[in-house]
């Protein structure tokens, strides 16, 4: 319909232009005709009076001449007349004859013009601001020019007729445009309806499994695409219908991977043991990676290999650095890897977080690459790869390598366990090839990752960037059809797997009802019952746009004074990577900014910004999600962002509004959030205002739709799709392995 509308608009504009051109042509032609008509009339009038004029001229009777002229002007369009002698002297004129049309000028023009053979001389003159048509005609006495008679014609009738023609023309074109528009819209509507019916029939047929659904020739290509698409989805989903759950994930593992143990390699451990006041406490780190993978491990069991970073980690693990987790619900192993101070500094703070992290995020921080960091990065990747090999209890384990900390580990594992199925998932964005080229060890990083069977990213864009980087910097064959990189006999598939959270969420299950959460949070923060609350939850990282977020709140209060004294924004900010200067500066800047905004808009007990700079355990975070009117995720660049999805999961009451940065992977899925550019403070503050004023019904509609998305596209589906792809690859490798073994043995035998 939109196309039809566009066509109609183009048609109307085209017809209007055509009407304009036609009107100019018609007007010019008509004017020439009218002018010729005037001259002809003048000649006729004078011819009628010629005999009398000749006799009057012969008698030189000026009074009679004047009377004759007055008689001539009885014609309704002749407004004045004059007679001049051949030497330019006035002989007689009617009363209305204008003084500025002097006989001398007229006779001179007549004689100089090509009028000597009795032809009239014509001109258009301005008389008192009105155009008047002048015709000068000769009256001859024998061979001699007796006088020149000038007749002035009123031209207003021409203008009147022109105007009428114009109206008529435009009217006709407008009618034409209207009829054409109506016919087009009707035709579009009718064909749209029949297209719809035909497409629904075909889709129902394909989705209902009818392979041989008949389609008219114009629908054949579409039907082909739909079939391919349906086949691809069916392939991705594997067997089984309905929602992905932890149970379905377990079954998938049993069915497709013979219950093979899963080994996860991730820098961050899911449970950190800290010594606090002489007591050991367990922390759940603020990490999207942990949020996503922990439920997967609960479902799959197996081993999670991670850096043991807590102060009580050694004393809570056994001699092999292993322990069963989660505490109290033990279902998988956590294998800790101990790192020296130098290793942690070079590998984690250095190469990973001062090099790769800023390299991959468009957040205006310069990457720093040091050879000493790279050395530690290689060492630690080796250490983790060795640990994985120790943990593997077959020669073809399933290894899930997580994130930018372990770009080299896949190749290192592959060298020791060539038959392993290695899935790498990069939790952050992948930059374009030029930017990636900044990394001095770009080839090694790419080569290391290509040890994987599958490399996963959150979005297709990041997959494209990765493929382009390989294409730019390595000798490899790119199979664009399958989206794979082939080197010698090793093939690595590059695929998007948008990560998510568990659903149903166990933190939500154990949370108090939203009204109780609200009461508790309002009491904690000392807010009035009618206050409005916004929440932000992040590690204090410059990619999260915390400064932009607080500035948007400031802008909101500047632009919408009604929120002053009423709206507070609470930022739960977990300090992160504080060994790095940039993070320390960010901490200070955020603190100063919050203080400045509070100074500017706060009064009495009211603080617009409540900055809670500490690690918060998930039950607290979920309490805040459930208490807030709005949650603002303002990342400047983010692979996915699971805070957005957690907020949606927390809102069982279908209330609350999510304001979400356009630069997160989540913005592609949660389209019912208010999507903003966090750099544009006006846009972000307007979105905050809209969120705070949004009617409950609209909140519910938006939240319900986002909850449907997150519940369906949950983390079990994410893991399930990767594991099914892995199983498919394994089967293919086994088959091709057997085939090549057979060929080799036949070759030897012959
Ligand atoms: O987003 C990348 C990532 O590694 C996440 O997977 C994780 O949520 C976050 O950074 C945490 O970082 P760190 O482990 O350095 O605290």
């Amino acid at each position: 319909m939109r196309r039809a509308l566009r066509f109609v608009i183009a048609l109307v504009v085209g017809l209007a232009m055509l009407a304009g051109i036609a009107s100019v042509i018609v007007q010019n032609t008509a004017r020439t005709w009218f002018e010729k008509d005037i001259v002809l009339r003048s000649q006729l009038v004078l011819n009628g009076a010629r005999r009398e004029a000749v006799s009057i001229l012969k008698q030189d009777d000026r009074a009679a001449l004047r009377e004759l002229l007055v008689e001539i002007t009885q014609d309704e369009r002749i407004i004045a007349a004059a007679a001049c002698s051949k030497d330019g002297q006035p002989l007689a004129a009617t009363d209305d004859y204008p003084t500025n049309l002097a006989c001398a000028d007229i006779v001179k023009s007549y004689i100089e013009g090509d009028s000597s053979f009795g032809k009239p001389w014509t001109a258009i003159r301005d008389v008192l601001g009105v155009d008047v048509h002048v015709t000068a005609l000769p009256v001859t006495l024998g061979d001699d020019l007796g006088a020149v008679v000038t007749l002035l014609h009123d031209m207003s009738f021409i203008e009147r007729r022109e105007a009428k023609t114009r109206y008529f023309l435009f009217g006709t074109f407008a009618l034409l445009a209207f009829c054409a528009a109506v016919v087009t819209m009707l035709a579009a509507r009718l064909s749209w309806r029949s297209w719809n019916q035909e497409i629904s029939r075909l889709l129902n047929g394909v989705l209902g499994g009818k392979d041989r659904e008949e389609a008219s020739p114009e629908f054949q290509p579409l039907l082909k695409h739909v079939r391919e698409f349906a086949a691809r989805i069916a392939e991705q989903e594997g067997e089984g219908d309905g929602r992905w759950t932890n149970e379905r994930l377990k079954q998938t593992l049993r069915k497709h991977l013979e219950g093979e143990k899963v080994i996860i390699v991730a820098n961050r451990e899911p449970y950190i043991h800290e010594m606090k006041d002489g007591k050991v406490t367990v922390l759940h780190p603020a990490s999207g990676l942990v949020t996503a993978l922990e439920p997967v491990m609960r479902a799959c069991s197996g081993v999670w290999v991670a850096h043991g970073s807590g102060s009580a980690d050694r004393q809570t693990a056994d001699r092999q650095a292993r322990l069963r987790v989660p505490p109290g619900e033990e279902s998988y192993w956590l294998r800790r890897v101990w790192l020296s101070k130098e290793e942690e500094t070079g590998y984690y703070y250095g190469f990973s977080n001062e090099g790769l992290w800023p390299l991959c995020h468009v957040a205006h921080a310069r990457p720093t690459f040091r050879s000493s960091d790279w050395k530690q990065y290689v060492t630690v990747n080796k250490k983790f790869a060795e640990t994985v090999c120790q943990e593997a209890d077959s020669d073809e384990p399933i290894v899930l390598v997580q994130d930018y900390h372990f770009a080299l580990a896949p190749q290192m594992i592959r060298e020791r366990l060539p038959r392993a199925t290695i899935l790498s998932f990069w939790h952050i964005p992948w930059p374009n090839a030029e930017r990636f080229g900044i990394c001095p060890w770009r080839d090694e990083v790419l080569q290391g990752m290509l040890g994987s069977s599958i490399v996963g990213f959150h979005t297709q864009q990041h997959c494209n960037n990765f493929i382009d980087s390989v294409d730019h910097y390595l000798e490899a064959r790119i199979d664009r059809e399958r989206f794979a990189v082939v080197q010698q006999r090793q093939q690595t598939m590059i695929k998007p797997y948008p990560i998510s959270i568990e659903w149903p969420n166990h933190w939500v299950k154990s949370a108090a009802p939203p009204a109780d959460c609200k009461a508790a949070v309002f009491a904690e923060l000392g807010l009035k019952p009618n206050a409005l609350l916004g929440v932000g939850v992040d590690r204090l990282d410059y990619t999260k746009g915390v400064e932009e977020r607080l500035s948007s709140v400031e802008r909101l209060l500047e632009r919408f004074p009604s929120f002053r004294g009423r709206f507070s924004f609470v930022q739960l900010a977990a300090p992160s990577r504080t060994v790095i200067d940039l993070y320390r500066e960010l901490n200070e800047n955020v603190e100063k900014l919050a203080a400045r905004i509070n100074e500017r808009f706060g009064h009495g007990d009211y603080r617009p910004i409540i900055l809670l700079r500490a690690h918060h355990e998930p039950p607290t975070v979920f309490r805040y999600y459930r208490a807030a009117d709005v949650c603002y995720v303002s990342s400047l660049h983010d692979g996915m962002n699971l805070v957005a999805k957690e907020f949606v999961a927390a809102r069982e009451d279908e209330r609350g509004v999510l304001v979400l940065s356009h630069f997160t992977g989540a913005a592609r899925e949660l389209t019912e959030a208010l999507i903003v550019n966090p750099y544009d403070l006006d846009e972000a503050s307007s979105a905050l205002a809209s969120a705070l004023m949004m009617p409950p019904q609209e909140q519910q509609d938006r939240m319900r739709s986002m909850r449907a998305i997150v519940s369906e596209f949950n983390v079990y589906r994410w893991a399930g799709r990767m594991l099914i792809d892995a199983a498919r690859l394994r089967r293919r490798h086994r088959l091709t392995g057997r085939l090549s073994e057979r060929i080799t043995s036949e070759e030897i035998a012959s």
Side-chain angles (χ1 to χ4, degrees), residues 268 287-289 348 353 357 403-405 427-428 539 577:
R268 190 59 64 199
S287 155
L289 181 153
Y348 174 73
N353 286 316
W357 180 267
D403 233 349
Y404 58 100
H405 310 91
H427 288 254
I428 61 176
R539 284 184 305 104
R577 307 171 190 169

Side-chain angles (χ1 to χ4, degrees), residues 330-559:
E330 288 75 11
S331 52
Y332 65 95
W333 287 97
L334 171 58
R335 166 76 192 266
R336 287 175 170 151
V337 176
W338 312 121
L339 298 183
S340 66
K341 258 273 132 315
E342 299 81 68
E343 283 172 337
E344 189 183 1
T345 306
Y347 137 83
Y348 174 73
Y349 290 111
F351 192 75
S352 297
N353 286 316
E354 284 194 282
L356 291 178
W357 180 267
L359 180 76
C360 292
H361 288 93
V362 181
H364 322 293
R366 274 191 172 184
T368 304
F369 290 107
R370 304 179 195 93
S371 304
S372 52
D373 292 344
W374 170 249
K375 218 170 114 202
Q376 296 301 346
Y377 189 80
V378 176
T379 307
V380 172
N381 268 254
K382 232 180 238 160
K383 208 170 198 175
F384 273 81
E386 270 158 25
T387 311
V388 167
C389 296
Q390 286 163 18
E391 290 296 334
D393 45 19
S394 78
D395 66 342
E396 42 180 16
I398 299 162
V399 187
L400 308 187
V401 180
Q402 304 300 311
D403 233 349
Y404 58 100
H405 310 91
F406 298 115
L408 307 180
Q411 188 59 32
M412 293 168 171
I413 299 170
R414 170 82 52 225
E415 278 159 14
R416 289 162 143 252
L417 296 168
R419 294 163 68 91
T421 301
I422 305 171
L423 311 180
S424 294
F425 192 79
W426 196 262
H427 288 254
I428 61 176
W430 187 274
N432 64 39
E434 287 74 18
R435 189 173 166 91
F436 180 68
I438 293 173
C439 176
W441 295 279
R442 64 193 184 199
D443 296 5
E444 289 85 341
V445 167
L446 290 171
Q447 206 58 68
M449 290 174 76
L450 291 177
S452 317
S453 319
I454 302 178
V455 175
F457 295 94
H458 292 297
T459 67
Q460 184 62 49
Q461 179 64 51
H462 301 154
C463 295
N464 298 350
N465 286 352
F466 180 80
I467 287 268
D468 287 349
S469 305
V470 173
D471 205 10
H472 260 68
Y473 303 115
L474 294 188
E475 290 285 330
R477 185 166 70 79
I478 310 289
D479 181 343
R480 292 200 185 258
E481 182 84 19
R482 289 194 193 166
F483 238 73
V485 178
V486 187
Q487 273 188 320
Q488 285 132 26
R489 301 189 62 195
Q490 166 72 30
Q491 172 181 305
T492 306
M493 307 236 306
I494 315 301
K495 288 193 79 171
Y497 300 98
I499 206 166
S500 194
I501 56 169
E502 64 171 329
W503 193 289
N505 190 288
H506 74 282
W507 299 114
V508 176
K509 265 196 226 156
S510 53
D516 295 357
C517 289
K518 184 167 179 169
V521 167
F522 273 42
E524 269 166 46
L525 302 179
L527 299 177
K528 295 201 183 104
N530 69 341
L532 294 166
L533 182 64
V535 68
V537 179
D538 303 87
R539 284 184 305 104
L540 255 182
D541 191 296
Y542 52 84
T543 59
K544 303 293 177 188
V546 178
E547 288 164 285
E548 284 74 6
R549 189 179 309 167
L550 301 191
S551 300
S552 305
V553 174
E554 181 178 30
R555 192 85 187 94
L556 171 85
L557 299 177
E558 270 170 13
R559 294 177 63 206

Side-chain angles (χ1 to χ4, degrees), residues 1-12 15 176-192:
M1 280 317 267
R2 221 184 258 171
R3 284 218 175 142
L5 203 67
R6 261 191 240 146
F7 173 75
V8 166
I9 292 171
L11 188 81
V12 170
L15 280 175
L176 242 156
F178 176 74
C179 293
V182 170
V183 170
T184 311
M185 290 309 277
L186 270 176
R189 244 201 134 74
L190 286 177
S191 52
W192 180 238

Side-chain angles (χ1 to χ4, degrees), residues 119-141:
K119 279 195 212 156
W121 171 83
T122 63
I124 294 181
R125 289 283 187 270
D126 181 348
V127 174
L128 298 174
V130 179
D131 279 349
V132 169
H133 189 278
V134 182
T135 318
L137 294 154
V139 180
T140 48
L141 297 177

